[in-house]
Structures are given as C-alpha cells and as structure tokens.
C-alpha cells in the first residue's frame, strides 16, 4: 500500500490571484484545449461522487442544444462539512471565475449559485463581489451569474433535486438517466459542480494541469479541502494533498485518544483505530466530500449512529419506501437492541435492511445510509448492545 | 387580509408568475411575515395559477418555509452530531428557561420561536445556532442567554 505523508497545500486560500488576467489567458486558448487541461489534470468532482470534471464539461459542451447552464452547487449540508462556506467567504471571485471558464467552454450564458438557506448571511457580501466580477469580465464574456437561495433541505444538494428546487418544486431527486449533461436545469444540458471543484478548475487554468497532477496519487489527483471537527484540538479547514494515510491524519489532528474517524460525514464511513494504518484518504481508499469527524474514547458510538440516523430520517425526501421507511426502522431497531427488547442478532437483520436500502433507493441519500450504519455496527458492535 | 394579498402581488410582479418563481415568492413572504399562512398560500396559488396543493406541497417540503406562525426571531439550534457532542442540549435548556418556552414553541409576545435544525455548517465551532439569518457559534449557556436578552431588549 502506498500513501502520501500528510502535506498542507495552499492553492485555494492563500494564493493571491488576478482573476481577470487568468481568464484572459484561459480564453486565449480554444475550448478544446481548456477541456483537455482539465481532463489532463485528473480533477474529479469534490462533492464526494468523484466524476471527472473535464468529462462532465466535455459531455455538456457536445450535447446539441440552444441553451446550456452552469450551476455551482453551494448546498453543502453533510454533517461535518463546512468548507464551501469558507471558500465562498474568503475567495468568492475564484468561484465565479471557475464558473466563467466553464460557461465559456460549454457555451452557457447563464450560471446559478444555489446557496443553502443556512448561508443566507453570506448573500450581501456575495452579491457585492458578484457585481464587481460582472463589471470586470463584461468585455471578456457574455455571462451572468445569479444567486438562488435554498430553504433548508439537505436533499437539494443532490443535483437533480437541486434542479427541481430551482424550478420551483419540491426538491425530490429525479430518475436517472438522463444525466444533467443531457437534461439538467429546465431540461437543458447543465454542468453542475460544487464550489470547491469550480475553484480547482480555475486554479488548474492558472497553473496548468501539471502542478495539480503532481499532487496526490494515480487514483486521487491533487489536493482537497477538508473540514475537521469533533474531538480535535485544531478543528477547522485545511487544504491537504490526497492519498494520505488516516494514521498520519490522526497524528496531526487527533487529541491523542482518537478511537474512530468518520470520513465523509453521515453518508461516509466510520474507520476504527485498528484500521487507521491501512486506510488511505482518496478514491482508492475512503473517498470523502471533505468531512473528517474525530471521535475519542469518551464517545458512545451508539449515540453517534443514532444522531446520524435521525438526520437521515428527517432529511429523506420520502419519495421511495426503502429510504423513507428504512431510516425509521433502523432507528427503532437499534433502540430495541439497546433496550434489550431485541436480541443482538437482530443487528444482522438491520444490516440486511441497510443493504437493501443501498440497492433499492433512488438516490445517494438512501443508498449511503448503509455506509455509516454498517461501518459503525461492524466495528463497534458491543457499543450497540450494552 | 388585504395586506398579504398586496405582498403576494408585489412579489409576483417582482419575480414573475411562472412556477419557477414559486420559491422566490414563498421566501419573500416568509421574510416579511415569518411564516406562510393559509391565506398567503391560497393567494400565491391564485396569483401563479397553480393548485393550492402544489403550492402547499412545495412549501411544506422546505424546513425554512414555515407554515405555522413564528415569532419575529426564529432561533434554530443545531441538533446534529458535532453540536450534539459539544452540548447543544444545555444550550437549548438555557434558551427554554430564559424564554419560558419549550422547543417548537413561540413566546406569548410573538417575539421568539425556538426550533432545532440540522447541521448548518459551523461544526468546528459548535454548539451553533441561527437567529433568523445570523449565525452564532461557540455557544455557552452564559453567552446564549446574553444574546437572547439583547434581542429581547429590541
Ligand atoms: S433515496 Fe431517500 S432521499 Fe433519495 S429519492 Fe428516495 S426517499 Fe428521496
Ligand atoms: S453539526 Fe452543528 S453546525 Fe454542523
């Protein structure tokens, strides 16, 4: 197993950058060249799913249509994730610039930022920054960015639910296919990228693909913004090279008594101490949208799991039965085992239920409940019972 | 209630009367009125030529589009894991005692409503809460009482 040492990177936050200059340089290239740069860099979506960004742009550009859109997904709601807020707060013009590059290469005239309702306090500042940006690029590109507010629904971070919400409907995920690159917002070809992905795309335009590609591993190129919370003395936002071992991560961020790390938030995986050494943070190991939550020995993993399940139960859109009813049954189930109303073996039944949810749910929410459920129950079984 | 009717009309004029503008209009009403009354929802349906069920169904989907009366200041304390680990229960209790209401209730003078919410993106600085759009972090019992009292004085 090969992993990288933990290394801090500062591509996103600290580097000063004349956005207009980078845009001019980028726009002097052909659209194909820009897409090739993004492909070449190996950038994968930073929301968690990890689809190659260059391909997304390419597919959308190639889809015949009179209209295309670029959408910035700023609806991060995964418990433990707060990196996009920091990015939008600190370097908004890099986000706008990433959208502008995408707009140019796919041929979009309009872009939207779907900002979660919880971040409404950012709106005045973002609007101001956007005004400046629009003026700055007026003679470069015919492109307008509009900010659209969410209203407190985690599921709207799912891309097709986000489109539904933008169209004035309940934010319920659509059936796939068709994928957004073919029929997204208003059924037009749409690139939807999260905040961090767009900034990285822009930084790749600034530096060329090589600098990015040299970081990380063959499966997980580049660096990534992590939000670290829980039992850590240094909670916060860190930009780190991908491919580090969890061991090194805990050495740096733990409090000396770390018993588990939840990688990727409630929808992610819980890794226990004995596996820190051979767990890689990246697509070849445990992928993450950025949330790293540290638990020390004082924590009850039963409580942790219960809290996650409550979260899912509340945020399930209710469209499909495995997810809607499954979440409720998992909660009732672990409560029953804890109270001794069910035998410990009942946990295995619940594991099967979570596997069914993975197979039969329509979207990522219902599909990913099993990740935290089975990793916590597997690794901390006795805590579920006693 | 002609006032609400006027508000709905002006919002419909501002944003447009297409389905796509529904959320903007609902958000605009909540901003003014703090919640969506039946009258407001029916009025929106009429103005946008949608069925009341479509409008109601959309409104109830979103946790910030309240369909029950809310106070002038809606206090939402994060209940998700990090804030839970950092003691959100104590924070809620402190607010309950200060305002003499329970979770989900509104004070008699209609000034405060106390609710729970899911992760609001301040996990590294929990416990956290929102009062309307404003976020407050690293809360302690003393701090939260002070904040609430400041609002109460207004
Ligand atoms: S899996 Fe859950 S959230 Fe996703 S569509 Fe089904 S019910 Fe809705
Ligand atoms: S868990 Fe409370 S803000 Fe994220």
């Amino acid at each position: 197993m090969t992993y990288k040492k933990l290394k801090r990177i500062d591509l996103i936050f600290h580097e000063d950058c004349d956005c207009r200059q980078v845009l001019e340089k980028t726009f002097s290239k052909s659209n194909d060249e820009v897409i090739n740069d993004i492909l070449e860099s190996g950038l994968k979506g930073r929301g968690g799913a990890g689809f190659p960004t260059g391909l997304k742009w390419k597919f959308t550009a190639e889809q015949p249509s009179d209209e295309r859109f670029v959408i910035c997904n700023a609806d991060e709601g995964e418990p433990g994730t707060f990196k996009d807020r920091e990015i939008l707060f600190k370097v908004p013009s890099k986000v706008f610039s990433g959208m502008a590059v995408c707009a140019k290469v796919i041929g979009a005239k309009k872009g939207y930022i779907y900002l979660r309702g919880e971040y409404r306090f950012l709106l005045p500042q973002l609007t101001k920054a956007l005004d400046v940006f629009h003026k700055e690029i007026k003679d470069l590109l015919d492109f307008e960015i509009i900010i659209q507010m969410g209203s407190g629904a985690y599921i709207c971070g799912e891309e097709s639910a986000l489109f539904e919400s933008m169209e004035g409907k309940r934010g319920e995920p659509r059936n796939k296919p068709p994928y957004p690159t073919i029929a997204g917002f208003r059924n037009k070809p749409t690139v939807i990228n999260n905040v961090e992905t767009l900034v990285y795309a822009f930084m790749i335009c600034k530096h060329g693909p090589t600098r990015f590609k040299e970081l990380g591993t063959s499966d997980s190129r580049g660096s990534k913004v992590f939000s670290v919370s829980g039992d850590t003395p240094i909670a916060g936002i860190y930009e780190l090279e991908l491919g580090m071992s969890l061991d090194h991560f805990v050495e740096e961020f733990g409090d000396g008594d770390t018993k588990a790390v939840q990688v990727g938030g409630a929808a992610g995986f819980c890794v226990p101490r004995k596996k820190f050494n051979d767990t890689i943070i990246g697509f070849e190991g445990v992928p993450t949208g950025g949330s790293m939550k540290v638990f020390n020995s004082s924590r009850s993993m039963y409580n942790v799991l219960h809290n996650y399940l409550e979260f899912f139960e509340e945020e399930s859109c209710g469209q499909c039965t495995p997810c809607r009813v499954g979440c409720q049954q998992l909660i009732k189930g672990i409560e029953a085992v804890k109270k001794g109303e069910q035998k410990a073996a009942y946990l295995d039944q619940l594991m099967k239920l979570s596997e069914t949810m993975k197979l039969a749910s329509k979207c990522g929410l219902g599909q990913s409940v099993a990740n935290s459920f089975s990793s916590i129950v597997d690794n901390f079984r006795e805590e579920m019972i006693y | 209630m002609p006032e609400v009717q006027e508000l709905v009309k002006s919002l419909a004029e501002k944003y447009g009367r297409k389905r796509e503008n529904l959320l903007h209009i609902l958000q605009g009403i909540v901003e003014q009125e703090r919640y969506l009354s039946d009258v407001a929802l029916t009025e929106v349906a009429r103005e946008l030529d949608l069925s009341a069920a479509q409008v109601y169904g959309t409104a109830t989907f979103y946790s910030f589009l309240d369909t029950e009366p809310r106070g002038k200041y809606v206090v939402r304390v994060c209940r998700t894991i990090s804030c839970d680990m950092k003691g959100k229960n104590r924070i809620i209790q402190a607010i309950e005692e200060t305002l003499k209401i329970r979770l989900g209730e509104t004070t008699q003078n209609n000034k405060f409503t106390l609710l729970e919410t899911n992760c609001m993106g301040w996990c590294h600085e929990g416990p956290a809460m929102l009062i309307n759009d404003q976020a407050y972090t690293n809360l302690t019992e003393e701090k939260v009482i002070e904040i609430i009292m400041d609002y109460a004085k207004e």
Side-chain angles (χ1 to χ4, degrees), chain A residues 11 91 165 181 192 194 225 236 243 258 315 321 342 345 357 372 383:
Chain A
L11 272 171
V91 289
S165 176
T181 52
I192 176 161
N194 90 334
V225 184
T258 304
E315 298 293 349
T321 317
Q342 286 283 358
M357 290 169 68
S372 50
E383 289 190 40

Side-chain angles (χ1 to χ4, degrees), chain A residues 171-196:
Chain A
E172 290 175 339
R174 298 175 182 167
N175 286 323
K176 286 184 190 181
Y179 291 96
T181 52
I182 293 171
F185 178 47
R186 294 186 193 150
N187 281 325
K188 302 283 182 185
T190 304
V191 164
I192 176 161
N193 279 142
N194 90 334
V195 175
E196 187 188 344

Side-chain angles (χ1 to χ4, degrees), chain A residues 79-80 82 85 116-121 148-152 155-156 165-171 185-186 229-231 235-236 293 295 299 304 307-308 310-311 314-315, chain B residues 18-24 27 31 56-65 79-82 84-86 88 116-125 130 133-135:
Chain A
F82 40 94
R85 172 176 52 72
R116 69 184 300 213
E118 289 82 348
Y119 292 171
R120 185 182 269 275
F121 65 91
Q148 185 149 343
M149 292 305 306
S151 260
I155 192 59
C156 288
S165 176
M166 283 182 60
E167 291 170 9
K169 295 175 249 170
R170 295 164 71 90
F185 178 47
R186 294 186 193 150
S229 59
D231 296 313
K293 192 166 302 290
F295 300 109
R299 302 296 169 189
V304 170
N307 192 290
Y308 283 158
E310 279 178 339
F311 173 80
E314 213 169 281
E315 298 293 349
Chain B
K18 283 198 286 195
R19 171 85 195 236
E20 214 176 283
N21 310 114
L22 176 59
L23 278 176
H24 296 133
Q27 285 167 346
E31 214 170 294
Y56 191 78
T58 303
T60 49
F61 187 82
Y62 297 91
S63 63
F64 285 9
L65 298 180
R79 55 165 292 282
T80 317
I81 189 74
S82 303
D84 187 47
M85 283 161 66
K86 293 270 169 64
K88 59 103 181 163
E116 274 188 315
T117 188
N118 277 330
C119 181
M120 37 188 256
W122 291 97
C123 327
H124 57 324
E125 294 181 10
L130 283 175
D133 297 336
Q134 187 65 43

Side-chain angles (χ1 to χ4, degrees), chain A residues 85-338:
Chain A
R85 172 176 52 72
E86 195 88 346
I87 295 173
L88 284 167
F89 180 69
K90 287 202 174 136
V91 289
S93 55
K94 287 183 185 169
V95 182
F96 307 152
S97 301
M99 292 176 74
V101 173
C102 177
K104 160 83 170 34
V105 302
I106 67 165
K109 298 220 163 7
K110 268 203 176 133
Y112 293 85
I113 298 177
Y114 188 92
L115 185 67
R116 69 184 300 213
E118 289 82 348
Y119 292 171
R120 185 182 269 275
F121 65 91
L122 282 174
L123 194 57
Q125 177 195 340
L126 274 182
T127 312
K128 226 191 253 163
L130 198 51
D131 281 346
V132 175
F133 180 77
H134 278 144
K135 281 197 197 98
E136 233 173 58
I137 63 155
K138 211 165 103 198
D139 58 320
L140 274 184
L141 187 70
D142 173 19
F143 179 55
E144 186 197 5
I145 297 175
I146 296 156
I147 303 175
Q148 185 149 343
M149 292 305 306
S151 260
Y154 167 74
I155 192 59
C156 288
E158 198 278 343
E159 47 195 30
S160 63
L162 189 149
F163 301 143
E164 290 290 297
S165 176
M166 283 182 60
E167 291 170 9
K169 295 175 249 170
R170 295 164 71 90
E172 290 175 339
R174 298 175 182 167
N175 286 323
K176 286 184 190 181
Y179 291 96
T181 52
I182 293 171
F185 178 47
R186 294 186 193 150
N187 281 325
K188 302 283 182 185
T190 304
V191 164
I192 176 161
N193 279 142
N194 90 334
V195 175
E196 187 188 344
T197 313
L198 287 161
V199 177
Y200 272 123
F202 180 63
M203 296 320 275
I204 289 161
C205 294
K206 182 178 177 209
H207 295 290
T210 319
R211 169 141 179 221
F212 188 81
K213 200 176 147 187
E214 279 165 2
L215 297 169
T217 63
S218 57
D219 287 326
S220 312
R221 296 275 182 218
S223 50
K224 151 130 213 48
V225 184
F226 290 89
S227 42
V228 184
S229 59
D231 296 313
T232 163
I234 47 170
I237 307 273
Y238 301 88
E239 191 179 0
L240 306 170
E241 183 176 13
L242 280 172
M244 66 193 151
S245 88
L246 193 50
D247 222 9
H248 289 144
F249 176 86
V250 169
E251 219 169 86
E252 175 93 5
F253 292 99
D255 63 357
D257 184 28
T258 304
K259 85 163 170 190
V261 180
Q262 180 81 16
V263 182
F269 296 86
C270 184
V271 185
R273 188 185 281 142
K274 62 175 187 285
K275 291 186 189 155
F276 289 169
N277 200 6
D278 46 38
T279 299
I280 289 187
I281 305 304
F283 294 105
E284 66 271 64
V286 189
T288 169
S291 164
M292 303 290 278
K293 192 166 302 290
V294 187
F295 300 109
N296 70 17
S297 300
S298 74
R299 302 296 169 189
S300 148
M301 295 313 285
Y302 172 84
N303 287 346
V304 170
L305 179 59
H306 198 274
N307 192 290
Y308 283 158
L309 290 174
E310 279 178 339
F311 173 80
F312 285 128
E313 184 198 22
E314 213 169 281
E315 298 293 349
S316 163
C317 85
Q319 223 187 140
C320 47
T321 317
C323 169
R324 184 185 61 243
V325 182
C327 288
Q328 296 168 354
Q329 291 307 318
L330 290 179
I331 296 189
K332 277 193 205 156
I334 61 164
E335 283 174 351
V337 171
K338 193 76 175 173

